[in-house]
Amino acid sequence: MSFSRRTFVRAAALAPLPLLSTGIRAAEVVRIGQTVALSGNFGEMGGMYTQGIKAALDHANRKNPARHLELVTLDDKLDGPTALQNARRLVEQEKVVSVIGVTGTGVAKAVMPYCEERKVPLFALTGDDSVRKVRQDWTFFSCASYGDEVKNMVRHGSTISHRSVFVVHTDVPAGASWVESAKLSAQENKLDFKGSAAAAPDGSNADAVLKAFVDSKASFVVMVYAGAGVKLLLEKLQQAHIYPGSIYLLSQGATPGLVESVRSSASGLIVSQVVPNPFASTSPLMRDYEAALAAAGAPKNYLTYQGFLLGRAYTDALARTKGTATAAAIADALRDGPLAYGNYKLDYTGGRQFGTSYTDISMLAKDGRFIS
């Protein structure tokens, strides 16, 4: 399923529709908004998340026709000002009751204060640690932080006989916090921390980053890196004969397009994940996911599964509401109790903003699948 620059997956009212002439009440329609990158360097990732979310909402519609969920999605190109403009349109003109599936540090920083002011629940998929430092009662984070992923990658490296670690991070201000997370985990796991390098998002300094890693003589590298530059740096590492099993990559860096392009040459690459492996389960939830994908014509991968889990948690919380699905009712339903799916759980009880810190480690196989 493809998404245009501005995708409208139409949408919902705040109250039930009037009685039909037959005397049967029409379905309540619930409008849900999304601002996300559907174009540019992060368009593939945003599109995959969106397909997963929409598949979950459509699956819920088929199971419960009395309440119809529809998504209004706008492209923000991972640009903060554009995302804020989209959020205003979604809330003030499209009358959505929540905003779901927001990604990117700049986007989250732009949209969070607005949703807080308007008291609209915001479901964030961004893992950036810096946006989590300010208390926001109406923001619900639905994935582990990048710091959580970094710590787990470093810890895992220590379990397979590595003795020292080097960090490559996207050249953004938040990179310093990821380096600190790696240093702390290295100390806790008795590893030598050999340094770090900031990588340009477009990969333009890949040669310099490679040299810094090689010169450090670290036994493995943790890449807190996503976007177009990842493929270029992986190619440079391969040319330098760096074994893929000594390269650890952030979950958002391993897009399906990247995986397809490097799977034969980078078999053994270690990738952090923030949801369970969608290829390694036969649970009822997995059957729902596969049925939803089949109906939507969407691909099976970690990104659509992450989107599906977010959409599923949203619909399960919505099912707790009584009467009209208002923004306040949805927020209360989320805080009412954990939403558990096997070993993956979102818990916003007790005023929690961060629903989960779940992380996993996977290895890329030659066929493009992940082993975990």
Side-chain angles (χ1 to χ4, degrees), residues 285-305:
L285 176 68
M286 187 56 57
R287 289 194 289 273
D288 284 350
Y289 168 60
E290 291 174 343
L293 290 187
K300 182 177 182 178
N301 56 54
Y302 272 99
L303 296 182
T304 58
Y305 190 44

Side-chain angles (χ1 to χ4, degrees), residues 26-37:
E28 177 192 7
V29 183
V30 181
R31 308 190 84 172
I32 304 159
Q34 183 188 25
T35 177
V36 69

